[in-house]
Amino acid sequence: MNGISQAFDGKKALITYITAGDPDLETTAFLLKLLDERGVDILEVGIPFSDPLADGPVIQQAGQRALKSGTTLKKLLAMLASLKEEVNAPLVLMGYMNSLMAYGLEAFAKDAAEAGVAGVIVPDLPFHQSEELAGQLRSRGVDFILMVTPNSTQERLSAIAEKASGFLYCVSLLGVTGNEEKGNAPVEEYIQRVRSCTKLPLALGFGVGTPERAKAAASVADGVIVGSALISLLEPCGADRKQIEEKATEFIGSLRAAVDSAG
Amino acid sequence: MKTSMYFGPFGGQYVPETLVPALDELETAYLESMNDSSFNEELRMLLKDYDGRPTPLYFAPRITESLGGARVYLKREDLNHTGAHKINNALGQVLLASRMGKKRIIAETGAGQHGVAVATAAALFGLECIVYMGEEDVHRQAPNVARMDLLGTKVVPVTSGTSTLKDAINEAIRDWVTNVENSFYVIGSVMGPHPYPLMVRNFQKIIGEEVRAQMLEKEGRLPDQVIACVGGGSNAMGIFHAFIQDPDVALIGVEAAGKGVDTGLHAATISGGKPGVLHGSYSYVLFDEDGQIQPAHSISAGLDYPGVGPEHSHLAATGRATYVSVTDDEAVEAFRRTCRLEGIIPALESAHALAHVYRTAAALPKETIVLVNLSGRGDKDMDTILSL
């Protein structure tokens, strides 16, 4: 498996998010391999949580479907470990703090590292609360990926940039994931502001759901993150692998082309 | 941060990065307001002339007589405007919002008491108000939904997750993340990210300050026990705070045991939960071994919450306060008994605190003084009681 920095090497990175266990973990494993083969550069995998307060309706419902199918963090880590040799793109876990605390921060860091996880994102753990978890992860070679937002102050951007590793997750808007309405907001000035603070690659996410928006985002940032749109597209397929393969291949192809054309 | 975010190890700010600037702005404005005499004077005037403070301290002769043990006093928070202690905090936060120039108020509500209090304060200040309420609670608490509507507030039924209070809070936080530039989120209990637990406690601590002086005047000494129900825990922190430095005053929080703590159908977060993160702070929470938040259960919608304020977790961990629990059945029995004995219809939430008194006070010496925070009135619970 490659590292996170390689994903941005000489190209704009295409990053996808799917919720683990939606509709079941076997399908997630299949989908991760497929996304990897179709040219996704970083595979973000969501840990389903009962109360995902940073997520919009699409990812909330994906999480509910995943919990219904019996997905747990323990089973998810076991699945990722079994996938280690089969996937090239780095895996990044995204999950809420209570899931990690219930598992135990140290045990989580250890098991995530052993499962080949390259990075971890925790949307309800802001920078100033993240020292313990970040330390546990980084001492095992796992990046703790921090988020910045359009309303982050310059002072805070600098402080975050100083501690960040992997890439900086630039939330494109004030809002939750999958916000189509706000996804159009201009980001040039925001991205320039962040870039002035760091040499890390910048990936733009939240509300990036179409090839057009992906192209626009990739023209200013170093990578784009697509989540809700992919989940919505695949939801009607259920666990039907043929349908998933058809739809995902087409969508990822168009995103890949859009992102590459912005490079 | 300008003040400590923690009570012992509990508290903090477990929120999306988007909210960090808003919490900073809120903390700054709140700390300024605390030292601003015109803010304090305006709030004092509102609490007196609009809300009706001070609320009375009432010696309950027939409860005392029926028990034959401790002397029982009630702090009459049920006599506040809108019928519960919630208005103390709603007036404080909405006044602060108004001074910060925020035009849009967001709140969540379970039983509807906090929602009605915020709707009232928003009407008073001419601000737009949106209240998130679990769809199940919208049906359970129809009269309060009608009251909020009359007051000009938009009630948004929440159907995500389990359609109850915790999901309404998730939805309110999502709204706040999205509209953070013009909106003020009025949290209804001593929970959430810093500075809310501190700020809400400080807006509620007037309960304890008043009653401490009232008790000294009536009895010439402090009570032996102070008892309050605990959901998120705002009425309890409000009455406890003034007594924390008095080691001889026992502080007792009464949680909702629902069908029984060992049945899994309960809301007794301290008695039956573990430390975790919910809605922005580290505190006791009900969750399973995978970290999924467990739905709470209580007959009282105001206690039906799987978390508790971080300061309570700290008081429990240090042993300064004791937390016990009371079942649905015991609370209903206490509700009926208080109606008959004193001509007071208590909120089902407050009936939990009373139930603990009925269970324990008979065995206490006659010179013992027990003080109960009667946090709200029970008119809102008529449908629940009549349907039993």
Side-chain angles (χ1 to χ4, degrees), chain A residues 48-53 55 60 67 72-73 98 102 123-124 126 128-129 149 151 156 174-175 182, chain B residues 6 12-18 21 160 166 170 174 177-178 181 276-277 287 290-293:
Chain A
F49 180 52
S50 54
D51 294 77
L53 49 76
D55 286 306
Q60 287 172 40
L67 291 176
T72 63
L73 178 51
N98 203 55
D124 63 344
H128 60 286
Q129 300 266 252
T149 59
N151 60 349
R156 192 155 172 97
L174 301 180
K182 279 191 161 185
Chain B
Y6 294 98
Q13 290 183 324
Y14 295 87
V15 293
E17 187 65 34
T18 317
S160 59
K166 78 173 176 71
N170 291 336
R174 291 179 188 122
V177 169
T178 308
E181 285 164 312
V277 168
F287 59 91
D290 188 43
Q292 309 300 337
I293 307 303

mmCIF file of all heavy atoms in Angstrom, chain A residues 48-53 55 60 67 72-73 98 102 123-124 126 128-129 149 151 156 174-175 182, chain B residues 6 12-18 21 160 166 170 174 177-178 181 276-277 287 290-293:
data_model
loop_
_atom_site.group_PDB
_atom_site.id
_atom_site.type_symbol
_atom_site.label_atom_id
_atom_site.label_comp_id
_atom_site.label_asym_id
_atom_site.label_seq_id
_atom_site.Cartn_x
_atom_site.Cartn_y
_atom_site.Cartn_z
ATOM 1 N N PRO A 48 -19.271 3.860 10.892
ATOM 2 C CA PRO A 48 -20.656 4.275 11.152
ATOM 3 C C PRO A 48 -20.874 4.620 12.623
ATOM 4 O O PRO A 48 -20.355 3.940 13.506
ATOM 5 C CB PRO A 48 -21.489 3.049 10.738
ATOM 6 C CG PRO A 48 -20.543 1.902 10.723
ATOM 7 C CD PRO A 48 -19.184 2.470 10.438
ATOM 8 N N PHE A 49 -21.630 5.700 12.858
ATOM 9 C CA PHE A 49 -21.880 6.164 14.227
ATOM 10 C C PHE A 49 -23.336 6.591 14.343
ATOM 11 O O PHE A 49 -23.901 7.153 13.416
ATOM 12 C CB PHE A 49 -20.934 7.334 14.554
ATOM 13 C CG PHE A 49 -21.100 7.889 15.950
ATOM 14 C CD1 PHE A 49 -21.064 7.052 17.065
ATOM 15 C CD2 PHE A 49 -21.298 9.250 16.155
ATOM 16 C CE1 PHE A 49 -21.221 7.565 18.351
ATOM 17 C CE2 PHE A 49 -21.451 9.774 17.442
ATOM 18 C CZ PHE A 49 -21.412 8.926 18.535
ATOM 19 N N SER A 50 -23.912 6.338 15.503
ATOM 20 C CA SER A 50 -25.337 6.629 15.728
ATOM 21 C C SER A 50 -25.669 8.120 15.644
ATOM 22 O O SER A 50 -26.782 8.477 15.300
ATOM 23 C CB SER A 50 -25.749 6.103 17.105
ATOM 24 O OG SER A 50 -24.885 6.628 18.111
ATOM 25 N N ASP A 51 -24.698 8.982 15.962
ATOM 26 C CA ASP A 51 -24.995 10.412 16.068
ATOM 27 C C ASP A 51 -23.972 11.271 15.326
ATOM 28 O O ASP A 51 -23.245 12.049 15.940
ATOM 29 C CB ASP A 51 -25.073 10.816 17.549
ATOM 30 C CG ASP A 51 -26.249 10.155 18.240
ATOM 31 O OD1 ASP A 51 -26.158 8.954 18.553
ATOM 32 O OD2 ASP A 51 -27.272 10.837 18.433
ATOM 33 N N PRO A 52 -23.953 11.149 13.986
ATOM 34 C CA PRO A 52 -22.904 11.817 13.196
ATOM 35 C C PRO A 52 -23.219 13.288 12.938
ATOM 36 O O PRO A 52 -23.755 13.653 11.897
ATOM 37 C CB PRO A 52 -22.911 11.016 11.885
ATOM 38 C CG PRO A 52 -24.330 10.549 11.741
ATOM 39 C CD PRO A 52 -24.874 10.376 13.136
ATOM 40 N N LEU A 53 -22.865 14.171 13.897
ATOM 41 C CA LEU A 53 -23.380 15.535 13.812
ATOM 42 C C LEU A 53 -22.722 16.410 12.755
ATOM 43 O O LEU A 53 -23.196 17.500 12.496
ATOM 44 C CB LEU A 53 -23.375 16.201 15.190
ATOM 45 C CG LEU A 53 -22.122 16.150 16.050
ATOM 46 C CD1 LEU A 53 -21.090 17.121 15.544
ATOM 47 C CD2 LEU A 53 -22.480 16.467 17.483
ATOM 48 N N ASP A 55 -22.452 15.289 9.641
ATOM 49 C CA ASP A 55 -22.884 14.736 8.367
ATOM 50 C C ASP A 55 -24.303 15.120 7.992
ATOM 51 O O ASP A 55 -25.182 15.219 8.848
ATOM 52 C CB ASP A 55 -22.766 13.202 8.393
ATOM 53 C CG ASP A 55 -21.316 12.752 8.300
ATOM 54 O OD1 ASP A 55 -20.645 13.189 7.351
ATOM 55 O OD2 ASP A 55 -20.859 11.989 9.175
ATOM 56 N N GLN A 60 -25.676 10.227 6.975
ATOM 57 C CA GLN A 60 -26.412 9.745 8.157
ATOM 58 C C GLN A 60 -27.125 8.432 7.843
ATOM 59 O O GLN A 60 -27.057 7.471 8.608
ATOM 60 C CB GLN A 60 -27.498 10.738 8.570
ATOM 61 C CG GLN A 60 -27.024 12.008 9.225
ATOM 62 C CD GLN A 60 -28.182 12.987 9.402
ATOM 63 O OE1 GLN A 60 -29.295 12.601 9.743
ATOM 64 N NE2 GLN A 60 -27.922 14.249 9.151
ATOM 65 N N LEU A 67 -25.112 0.272 10.445
ATOM 66 C CA LEU A 67 -25.325 -0.223 11.814
ATOM 67 C C LEU A 67 -26.342 -1.353 11.808
ATOM 68 O O LEU A 67 -26.217 -2.328 12.544
ATOM 69 C CB LEU A 67 -25.779 0.918 12.728
ATOM 70 C CG LEU A 67 -24.710 1.986 13.007
ATOM 71 C CD1 LEU A 67 -25.288 3.116 13.851
ATOM 72 C CD2 LEU A 67 -23.499 1.375 13.705
ATOM 73 N N THR A 72 -19.320 -3.041 13.120
ATOM 74 C CA THR A 72 -18.659 -2.443 14.287
ATOM 75 C C THR A 72 -17.253 -2.044 13.867
ATOM 76 O O THR A 72 -16.744 -2.518 12.840
ATOM 77 C CB THR A 72 -18.552 -3.438 15.456
ATOM 78 O OG1 THR A 72 -17.722 -4.533 15.033
ATOM 79 C CG2 THR A 72 -19.905 -3.962 15.900
ATOM 80 N N LEU A 73 -16.623 -1.205 14.671
ATOM 81 C CA LEU A 73 -15.260 -0.775 14.365
ATOM 82 C C LEU A 73 -14.310 -1.975 14.353
ATOM 83 O O LEU A 73 -13.408 -2.073 13.526
ATOM 84 C CB LEU A 73 -14.822 0.280 15.390
ATOM 85 C CG LEU A 73 -13.408 0.833 15.269
ATOM 86 C CD1 LEU A 73 -13.107 1.315 13.857
ATOM 87 C CD2 LEU A 73 -13.200 1.973 16.273
ATOM 88 N N ASN A 98 -16.509 9.250 19.942
ATOM 89 C CA ASN A 98 -16.975 8.244 20.898
ATOM 90 C C ASN A 98 -16.682 6.817 20.425
ATOM 91 O O ASN A 98 -16.464 5.929 21.243
ATOM 92 C CB ASN A 98 -18.458 8.415 21.224
ATOM 93 C CG ASN A 98 -18.805 7.805 22.563
ATOM 94 O OD1 ASN A 98 -18.193 8.135 23.578
ATOM 95 N ND2 ASN A 98 -19.732 6.858 22.564
ATOM 96 N N ALA A 102 -14.578 4.440 22.874
ATOM 97 C CA ALA A 102 -15.146 3.173 23.330
ATOM 98 C C ALA A 102 -14.177 2.033 23.015
ATOM 99 O O ALA A 102 -14.066 1.067 23.766
ATOM 100 C CB ALA A 102 -16.506 2.934 22.667
ATOM 101 N N PRO A 123 -14.089 14.133 12.741
ATOM 102 C CA PRO A 123 -14.743 15.427 12.506
ATOM 103 C C PRO A 123 -15.232 16.139 13.770
ATOM 104 O O PRO A 123 -15.486 17.328 13.720
ATOM 105 C CB PRO A 123 -15.924 15.085 11.588
ATOM 106 C CG PRO A 123 -16.112 13.622 11.701
ATOM 107 C CD PRO A 123 -14.799 13.020 12.095
ATOM 108 N N ASP A 124 -15.358 15.417 14.890
ATOM 109 C CA ASP A 124 -15.764 16.143 16.108
ATOM 110 C C ASP A 124 -14.597 16.272 17.096
ATOM 111 O O ASP A 124 -14.814 16.439 18.294
ATOM 112 C CB ASP A 124 -17.000 15.515 16.777
ATOM 113 C CG ASP A 124 -16.757 14.085 17.265
ATOM 114 O OD1 ASP A 124 -15.768 13.447 16.837
ATOM 115 O OD2 ASP A 124 -17.579 13.590 18.068
ATOM 116 N N PRO A 126 -11.684 18.791 17.244
ATOM 117 C CA PRO A 126 -10.958 19.918 16.672
ATOM 118 C C PRO A 126 -9.509 19.894 17.134
ATOM 119 O O PRO A 126 -9.157 19.231 18.117
ATOM 120 C CB PRO A 126 -11.707 21.139 17.202
ATOM 121 C CG PRO A 126 -12.340 20.678 18.466
ATOM 122 C CD PRO A 126 -12.635 19.218 18.273
ATOM 123 N N HIS A 128 -7.456 21.660 18.859
ATOM 124 C CA HIS A 128 -6.956 21.898 20.220
ATOM 125 C C HIS A 128 -7.328 20.776 21.192
ATOM 126 O O HIS A 128 -6.924 20.806 22.346
ATOM 127 C CB HIS A 128 -7.427 23.256 20.750
ATOM 128 C CG HIS A 128 -8.912 23.415 20.833
ATOM 129 N ND1 HIS A 128 -9.711 23.595 19.739
ATOM 130 C CD2 HIS A 128 -9.757 23.424 21.890
ATOM 131 C CE1 HIS A 128 -10.965 23.714 20.114
ATOM 132 N NE2 HIS A 128 -11.037 23.599 21.413
ATOM 133 N N GLN A 129 -8.111 19.792 20.740
ATOM 134 C CA GLN A 129 -8.451 18.665 21.600
ATOM 135 C C GLN A 129 -7.759 17.389 21.143
ATOM 136 O O GLN A 129 -8.030 16.317 21.667
ATOM 137 C CB GLN A 129 -9.978 18.436 21.562
ATOM 138 C CG GLN A 129 -10.772 19.619 22.037
ATOM 139 C CD GLN A 129 -11.117 19.516 23.506
ATOM 140 O OE1 GLN A 129 -12.240 19.290 23.878
ATOM 141 N NE2 GLN A 129 -10.124 19.659 24.357
ATOM 142 N N THR A 149 -11.505 25.162 8.032
ATOM 143 C CA THR A 149 -12.789 25.593 7.478
ATOM 144 C C THR A 149 -12.672 27.042 7.006
ATOM 145 O O THR A 149 -11.742 27.755 7.401
ATOM 146 C CB THR A 149 -13.900 25.475 8.542
ATOM 147 O OG1 THR A 149 -13.543 26.296 9.666
ATOM 148 C CG2 THR A 149 -14.062 24.048 9.008
ATOM 149 N N ASN A 151 -14.038 29.615 7.892
ATOM 150 C CA ASN A 151 -14.045 30.638 8.950
ATOM 151 C C ASN A 151 -12.892 30.470 9.947
ATOM 152 O O ASN A 151 -12.860 31.148 10.971
ATOM 153 C CB ASN A 151 -15.396 30.656 9.683
ATOM 154 C CG ASN A 151 -15.732 29.326 10.354
ATOM 155 O OD1 ASN A 151 -15.063 28.316 10.122
ATOM 156 N ND2 ASN A 151 -16.753 29.316 11.175
ATOM 157 N N ARG A 156 -5.267 30.415 13.818
ATOM 158 C CA ARG A 156 -5.581 29.002 13.973
ATOM 159 C C ARG A 156 -5.059 28.186 12.789
ATOM 160 O O ARG A 156 -4.547 27.082 12.971
ATOM 161 C CB ARG A 156 -7.088 28.827 14.128
ATOM 162 C CG ARG A 156 -7.453 27.439 14.585
ATOM 163 C CD ARG A 156 -8.774 27.414 15.299
ATOM 164 N NE ARG A 156 -9.159 26.035 15.543
ATOM 165 C CZ ARG A 156 -8.952 25.393 16.687
ATOM 166 N NH1 ARG A 156 -8.387 26.001 17.692
ATOM 167 N NH2 ARG A 156 -9.328 24.137 16.821
ATOM 168 N N LEU A 174 -19.377 26.324 5.057
ATOM 169 C CA LEU A 174 -19.884 26.263 6.425
ATOM 170 C C LEU A 174 -21.121 25.383 6.371
ATOM 171 O O LEU A 174 -22.151 25.781 5.850
ATOM 172 C CB LEU A 174 -20.246 27.667 6.927
ATOM 173 C CG LEU A 174 -19.098 28.685 6.928
ATOM 174 C CD1 LEU A 174 -19.585 30.041 7.451
ATOM 175 C CD2 LEU A 174 -17.938 28.193 7.783
ATOM 176 N N GLY A 175 -21.002 24.168 6.878
ATOM 177 C CA GLY A 175 -22.144 23.270 6.803
ATOM 178 C C GLY A 175 -21.711 21.837 7.015
ATOM 179 O O GLY A 175 -20.573 21.565 7.403
ATOM 180 N N LYS A 182 -24.706 24.832 -0.979
ATOM 181 C CA LYS A 182 -23.573 25.695 -0.675
ATOM 182 C C LYS A 182 -22.296 25.281 -1.403
ATOM 183 O O LYS A 182 -21.293 25.957 -1.313
ATOM 184 C CB LYS A 182 -23.299 25.670 0.836
ATOM 185 C CG LYS A 182 -24.213 26.586 1.647
ATOM 186 C CD LYS A 182 -23.670 26.686 3.058
ATOM 187 C CE LYS A 182 -24.209 27.904 3.793
ATOM 188 N NZ LYS A 182 -23.566 28.039 5.107
ATOM 189 N N TYR B 6 -12.781 22.648 31.431
ATOM 190 C CA TYR B 6 -12.981 21.352 32.081
ATOM 191 C C TYR B 6 -13.490 21.454 33.510
ATOM 192 O O TYR B 6 -13.223 22.430 34.219
ATOM 193 C CB TYR B 6 -11.663 20.578 32.099
ATOM 194 C CG TYR B 6 -11.204 20.194 30.722
ATOM 195 C CD1 TYR B 6 -10.258 20.956 30.050
ATOM 196 C CD2 TYR B 6 -11.748 19.084 30.087
ATOM 197 C CE1 TYR B 6 -9.853 20.611 28.774
ATOM 198 C CE2 TYR B 6 -11.335 18.734 28.813
ATOM 199 C CZ TYR B 6 -10.398 19.503 28.166
ATOM 200 O OH TYR B 6 -10.000 19.161 26.899
ATOM 201 N N GLY B 12 -14.729 20.042 27.869
ATOM 202 C CA GLY B 12 -14.017 20.166 26.601
ATOM 203 C C GLY B 12 -14.890 20.682 25.470
ATOM 204 O O GLY B 12 -16.006 21.178 25.693
ATOM 205 N N GLN B 13 -14.345 20.559 24.267
ATOM 206 C CA GLN B 13 -15.045 21.051 23.067
ATOM 207 C C GLN B 13 -14.904 20.033 21.949
ATOM 208 O O GLN B 13 -14.000 20.159 21.120
ATOM 209 C CB GLN B 13 -14.446 22.381 22.604
ATOM 210 C CG GLN B 13 -14.727 23.544 23.529
ATOM 211 C CD GLN B 13 -14.176 24.851 22.997
ATOM 212 O OE1 GLN B 13 -13.107 24.876 22.387
ATOM 213 N NE2 GLN B 13 -14.896 25.931 23.226
ATOM 214 N N TYR B 14 -15.748 19.031 21.905
ATOM 215 C CA TYR B 14 -15.680 18.013 20.864
ATOM 216 C C TYR B 14 -16.672 18.376 19.763
ATOM 217 O O TYR B 14 -17.797 17.867 19.740
ATOM 218 C CB TYR B 14 -15.940 16.628 21.457
ATOM 219 C CG TYR B 14 -14.843 16.227 22.430
ATOM 220 C CD1 TYR B 14 -14.901 16.593 23.769
ATOM 221 C CD2 TYR B 14 -13.726 15.527 21.988
ATOM 222 C CE1 TYR B 14 -13.883 16.269 24.652
ATOM 223 C CE2 TYR B 14 -12.701 15.186 22.857
ATOM 224 C CZ TYR B 14 -12.783 15.558 24.187
ATOM 225 O OH TYR B 14 -11.769 15.234 25.049
ATOM 226 N N VAL B 15 -16.254 19.298 18.928
ATOM 227 C CA VAL B 15 -17.151 19.825 17.891
ATOM 228 C C VAL B 15 -16.406 19.928 16.567
ATOM 229 O O VAL B 15 -15.184 19.964 16.540
ATOM 230 C CB VAL B 15 -17.660 21.237 18.257
ATOM 231 C CG1 VAL B 15 -18.567 21.203 19.471
ATOM 232 C CG2 VAL B 15 -16.496 22.199 18.487
ATOM 233 N N PRO B 16 -17.172 20.017 15.463
ATOM 234 C CA PRO B 16 -16.520 20.268 14.178
ATOM 235 C C PRO B 16 -15.740 21.586 14.222
ATOM 236 O O PRO B 16 -16.144 22.532 14.890
ATOM 237 C CB PRO B 16 -17.696 20.358 13.197
ATOM 238 C CG PRO B 16 -18.790 19.568 13.837
ATOM 239 C CD PRO B 16 -18.617 19.783 15.311
ATOM 240 N N GLU B 17 -14.650 21.616 13.470
ATOM 241 C CA GLU B 17 -13.770 22.794 13.424
ATOM 242 C C GLU B 17 -14.553 24.075 13.092
ATOM 243 O O GLU B 17 -14.226 25.153 13.603
ATOM 244 C CB GLU B 17 -12.677 22.531 12.384
ATOM 245 C CG GLU B 17 -11.578 23.556 12.307
ATOM 246 C CD GLU B 17 -10.701 23.664 13.554
ATOM 247 O OE1 GLU B 17 -10.463 22.649 14.221
ATOM 248 O OE2 GLU B 17 -10.266 24.797 13.850
ATOM 249 N N THR B 18 -15.594 23.937 12.276
ATOM 250 C CA THR B 18 -16.409 25.104 11.881
ATOM 251 C C THR B 18 -16.959 25.857 13.084
ATOM 252 O O THR B 18 -17.183 27.058 13.024
ATOM 253 C CB THR B 18 -17.610 24.626 11.023
ATOM 254 O OG1 THR B 18 -17.145 23.659 10.099
ATOM 255 C CG2 THR B 18 -18.254 25.779 10.284
ATOM 256 N N PRO B 21 -14.558 28.873 15.867
ATOM 257 C CA PRO B 21 -14.613 30.344 15.945
ATOM 258 C C PRO B 21 -15.877 30.836 16.651
ATOM 259 O O PRO B 21 -15.836 31.837 17.374
ATOM 260 C CB PRO B 21 -14.618 30.782 14.472
ATOM 261 C CG PRO B 21 -14.089 29.620 13.705
ATOM 262 C CD PRO B 21 -14.467 28.386 14.475
ATOM 263 N N SER B 160 -34.517 12.139 11.919
ATOM 264 C CA SER B 160 -33.281 11.368 11.778
ATOM 265 C C SER B 160 -33.022 10.551 13.039
ATOM 266 O O SER B 160 -33.556 10.858 14.108
ATOM 267 C CB SER B 160 -32.103 12.310 11.500
ATOM 268 O OG SER B 160 -31.957 13.232 12.547
ATOM 269 N N LYS B 166 -31.947 13.553 21.556
ATOM 270 C CA LYS B 166 -30.535 13.535 21.132
ATOM 271 C C LYS B 166 -30.417 13.849 19.644
ATOM 272 O O LYS B 166 -29.474 14.510 19.216
ATOM 273 C CB LYS B 166 -29.860 12.204 21.488
ATOM 274 C CG LYS B 166 -30.164 11.052 20.573
ATOM 275 C CD LYS B 166 -29.321 9.825 20.908
ATOM 276 C CE LYS B 166 -29.683 8.632 20.048
ATOM 277 N NZ LYS B 166 -29.276 8.744 18.628
ATOM 278 N N ASN B 170 -28.551 16.912 17.595
ATOM 279 C CA ASN B 170 -27.708 16.743 16.400
ATOM 280 C C ASN B 170 -28.143 17.716 15.304
ATOM 281 O O ASN B 170 -27.322 18.353 14.649
ATOM 282 C CB ASN B 170 -27.825 15.317 15.841
ATOM 283 C CG ASN B 170 -27.189 14.277 16.751
ATOM 284 O OD1 ASN B 170 -26.309 14.592 17.532
ATOM 285 N ND2 ASN B 170 -27.645 13.046 16.650
ATOM 286 N N ARG B 174 -26.195 20.772 13.498
ATOM 287 C CA ARG B 174 -25.995 20.847 12.036
ATOM 288 C C ARG B 174 -26.467 22.191 11.493
ATOM 289 O O ARG B 174 -25.834 22.783 10.616
ATOM 290 C CB ARG B 174 -26.738 19.703 11.341
ATOM 291 C CG ARG B 174 -26.123 18.342 11.614
ATOM 292 C CD ARG B 174 -26.905 17.215 10.919
ATOM 293 N NE ARG B 174 -26.396 15.923 11.352
ATOM 294 C CZ ARG B 174 -27.127 14.978 11.941
ATOM 295 N NH1 ARG B 174 -28.424 15.164 12.150
ATOM 296 N NH2 ARG B 174 -26.578 13.851 12.321
ATOM 297 N N VAL B 177 -23.830 24.747 12.478
ATOM 298 C CA VAL B 177 -22.643 24.644 11.624
ATOM 299 C C VAL B 177 -22.901 25.355 10.289
ATOM 300 O O VAL B 177 -22.030 26.016 9.734
ATOM 301 C CB VAL B 177 -22.279 23.158 11.376
ATOM 302 C CG1 VAL B 177 -21.220 23.024 10.290
ATOM 303 C CG2 VAL B 177 -21.781 22.498 12.658
ATOM 304 N N THR B 178 -24.127 25.223 9.792
ATOM 305 C CA THR B 178 -24.471 25.751 8.475
ATOM 306 C C THR B 178 -24.732 27.264 8.513
ATOM 307 O O THR B 178 -24.454 27.979 7.561
ATOM 308 C CB THR B 178 -25.716 25.010 7.929
ATOM 309 O OG1 THR B 178 -25.461 23.598 8.012
ATOM 310 C CG2 THR B 178 -26.011 25.387 6.496
ATOM 311 N N GLU B 181 -22.740 32.011 10.989
ATOM 312 C CA GLU B 181 -22.405 33.437 10.936
ATOM 313 C C GLU B 181 -23.494 34.331 11.505
ATOM 314 O O GLU B 181 -23.207 35.420 11.999
ATOM 315 C CB GLU B 181 -22.085 33.843 9.497
ATOM 316 C CG GLU B 181 -20.701 33.329 9.096
ATOM 317 C CD GLU B 181 -20.468 33.352 7.612
ATOM 318 O OE1 GLU B 181 -21.362 32.875 6.870
ATOM 319 O OE2 GLU B 181 -19.414 33.832 7.204
ATOM 320 N N GLY B 276 -17.709 9.205 28.037
ATOM 321 C CA GLY B 276 -17.597 9.193 26.575
ATOM 322 C C GLY B 276 -17.876 10.585 26.046
ATOM 323 O O GLY B 276 -17.968 11.538 26.820
ATOM 324 N N VAL B 277 -18.016 10.696 24.733
ATOM 325 C CA VAL B 277 -18.264 12.010 24.128
ATOM 326 C C VAL B 277 -19.627 12.017 23.451
ATOM 327 O O VAL B 277 -19.928 11.159 22.625
ATOM 328 C CB VAL B 277 -17.176 12.354 23.087
ATOM 329 C CG1 VAL B 277 -17.594 13.557 22.252
ATOM 330 C CG2 VAL B 277 -15.853 12.648 23.788
ATOM 331 N N PHE B 287 -23.782 4.323 26.161
ATOM 332 C CA PHE B 287 -23.417 3.794 24.844
ATOM 333 C C PHE B 287 -23.028 2.327 24.964
ATOM 334 O O PHE B 287 -22.706 1.840 26.047
ATOM 335 C CB PHE B 287 -22.303 4.624 24.195
ATOM 336 C CG PHE B 287 -21.010 4.723 24.969
ATOM 337 C CD1 PHE B 287 -19.982 3.807 24.775
ATOM 338 C CD2 PHE B 287 -20.815 5.749 25.883
ATOM 339 C CE1 PHE B 287 -18.787 3.913 25.474
ATOM 340 C CE2 PHE B 287 -19.618 5.864 26.594
ATOM 341 C CZ PHE B 287 -18.604 4.941 26.389
ATOM 342 N N ASP B 290 -19.557 -0.828 21.138
ATOM 343 C CA ASP B 290 -19.012 -0.280 19.897
ATOM 344 C C ASP B 290 -19.036 1.258 19.910
ATOM 345 O O ASP B 290 -18.657 1.889 18.924
ATOM 346 C CB ASP B 290 -19.825 -0.823 18.707
ATOM 347 C CG ASP B 290 -19.206 -0.462 17.362
ATOM 348 O OD1 ASP B 290 -17.960 -0.575 17.243
ATOM 349 O OD2 ASP B 290 -19.940 -0.051 16.451
ATOM 350 N N GLY B 291 -19.516 1.844 21.017
ATOM 351 C CA GLY B 291 -19.538 3.308 21.105
ATOM 352 C C GLY B 291 -20.810 3.949 20.569
ATOM 353 O O GLY B 291 -20.920 5.171 20.537
ATOM 354 N N GLN B 292 -21.764 3.127 20.132
ATOM 355 C CA GLN B 292 -23.024 3.694 19.620
ATOM 356 C C GLN B 292 -23.871 4.188 20.794
ATOM 357 O O GLN B 292 -24.051 3.474 21.782
ATOM 358 C CB GLN B 292 -23.817 2.651 18.819
ATOM 359 C CG GLN B 292 -23.006 1.940 17.733
ATOM 360 C CD GLN B 292 -22.441 2.881 16.679
ATOM 361 O OE1 GLN B 292 -22.946 3.986 16.468
ATOM 362 N NE2 GLN B 292 -21.364 2.458 16.038
ATOM 363 N N ILE B 293 -24.398 5.422 20.645
ATOM 364 C CA ILE B 293 -25.208 6.005 21.708
ATOM 365 C C ILE B 293 -26.510 5.217 21.829
ATOM 366 O O ILE B 293 -27.175 4.916 20.837
ATOM 367 C CB ILE B 293 -25.524 7.498 21.403
ATOM 368 C CG1 ILE B 293 -24.236 8.280 21.101
ATOM 369 C CG2 ILE B 293 -26.303 8.122 22.555
ATOM 370 C CD1 ILE B 293 -23.175 8.261 22.169
#
